[in-house]
Structure formats: structure tokens, C-alpha cells
């Protein structure tokens, strides 16, 4: 069912002009199968662009979450609160911020899955933080401050946690 579109174009109308005017329809001399392939390539290109933007938004939200966590930690340390409070409270606030930002700007999940998604998101984030904590104890990072070490290790564990969030936390993503 491959037919070539054969239309006589006036000499003053170029193929480029005809294609621009008629959109995705085949222009003079182009077969419909090529047009179909071009449309599919365009859809794939848009899909890849969408995934890249999705990933970049996820990275930005994660970065902002860690920044909020570190700022709160410094504030709590200046108030001379206990070590446990200064480590755990900012972590939970960062997790809550990351979850709300992700469901608002990145993952489009139905509202009735929010609780289940938040539980998975929290479990994955806390386990990721635990792995990062143990990695910081195994590798020697005494020469660096806490903030730099936190960014360095969270960046290395990031892709693993990202895949877990995609597979479990936001499985109902539209």
C-alpha cells in the first residue's frame, strides 16, 4: 500500500515550502512509507527529549533536597542540638520536600497512590542514606567536610536510588 504522492507543483513553490504548509503529509516525490518513518523518528525524538527533561528535573529536585537538608543541619548544629536530631530531622524534611516536588513537577501519579508512593519513597531514601552513611565510614573522607562528603557519596549512589524510585515509588506514573 505504498503510493507515491504525485502532485504537480507550480515552479514557484519549493518542496520545503510545500512540506511546511502541509505539515506531516508527504511532499512531492516522497513516498508515504518515508513519511511514516519520519513521523516515528519524530515521536522517538520527542520521547527521548521528554525522558531527558524528566531525569534533569529529578536531578534538580534531588540537589535542592540535599541543599535544604544541609542548610537545616547547619542551623540545628548552631543551636547545639543533639547529633541525632541534627542528622535525622533535616533528612526527613529533605525527603518530604523531594517527594512533594517530584509528585508536583515530575511524576504524575493519581492522588490515591500518594500514601503508598510516599512510604516507598521514604524507605528507598532512608535506605539510600544508610548506604551513603556506611560508605562514608568505609572510605576515608576525614579530610573533607560533611557537606562535600554528602554530595559526593549521594551522587555516586544516585543512579541506583533513581532506578528504585522509578520501579517502586512511582510505578503508577502516567
Amino acid at each position: 500500500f505504498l503510493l507515491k504522492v504525485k502532485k504537480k507543483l507550480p515552479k514557484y513553490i519549493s518542496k520545503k515550502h510545500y512540506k511546511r504548509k502541509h505539515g506531516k503529509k508527504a511532499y512531492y516525490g516522497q513516498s508515504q512509507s518515508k513519511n511514516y518513518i519520519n513521523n516515528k523518528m519524530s515521536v522517538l525524538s520527542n520521547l527521548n527529549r521528554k525522558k531527558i527533561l524528566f531525569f534533569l528535573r529529578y536531578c534538580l529536585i534531588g540537589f535542592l533536597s540535599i541543599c535544604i537538608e544541609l542548610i537545616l543541619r547547619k542551623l540545628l548544629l548552631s543551636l547545639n542540638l543533639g547529633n541525632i536530631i541534627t542528622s535525622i530531622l533535616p533528612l526527613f524534611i529533605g525527603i518530604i520536600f523531594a517527594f512533594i516536588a517530584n509528585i508536583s513537577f515530575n511524576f504524575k501519579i493519581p492522588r490515591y497512590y500518594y500514601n503508598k508512593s510516599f512510604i516507598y519513597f521514604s524507605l528507598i531514601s532512608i535506605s539510600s542514606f544508610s548506604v551513603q552513611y556506611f560508605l562514608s565510614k568505609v572510605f576515608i573522607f576525614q579530610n573533607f567536610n560533611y557537606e562535600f562528603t554528602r554530595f559526593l557519596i549521594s551522587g555516586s549512589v544516585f543512579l541506583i536510588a533513581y532506578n528504585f524510585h522509578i520501579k517502586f515509588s512511582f510505578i503508577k506514573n502516567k
Side-chain angles (χ1 to χ4, degrees), residues 55 58 124 157-170:
F55 181 74
Y58 184 84
I124 292 168
V157 177
F158 170 75
L159 287 177
I160 298 167
Y162 174 74
N163 284 319
F164 279 122
H165 283 304
I166 296 294
K167 299 287 186 220
F168 299 108
S169 300
F170 301 111

Side-chain angles (χ1 to χ4, degrees), residues 31-43:
S31 70
Q32 289 184 359
S33 65
K34 282 185 182 178
N35 192 35
Y36 176 78
I37 291 170
N38 289 340
N39 288 342
K40 288 296 181 186
M41 294 298 280
S42 152
V43 169

Side-chain angles (χ1 to χ4, degrees), residues 114-170:
Y114 282 3
N115 291 339
K116 183 178 179 182
S117 293
F118 180 71
I119 291 169
Y120 283 130
F121 188 85
S122 298
L123 288 173
I124 292 168
S125 297
I126 290 170
S127 61
S128 173
F129 179 79
S130 301
V131 167
Q132 293 172 34
Y133 178 78
F134 290 120
L135 283 176
S136 71
K137 296 302 176 191
V138 169
F139 297 109
I140 301 170
F141 288 113
Q142 278 88 20
N143 297 338
F144 303 118
N145 62 1
Y146 177 82
E147 290 81 11
F148 182 76
T149 306
R150 178 81 170 100
F151 276 113
L152 185 69
I153 295 177
S154 66
S156 60
V157 177
F158 170 75
L159 287 177
I160 298 167
Y162 174 74
N163 284 319
F164 279 122
H165 283 304
I166 296 294
K167 299 287 186 220
F168 299 108
S169 300
F170 301 111

Side-chain angles (χ1 to χ4, degrees), residues 67-81:
C67 287
I68 289 171
E69 175 189 333
L70 295 176
I71 290 170
L72 285 174
R73 184 178 182 276
K74 277 227 187 247
L75 179 71
L76 293 175
L77 282 173
S78 69
L79 297 174
N80 292 328
L81 295 175

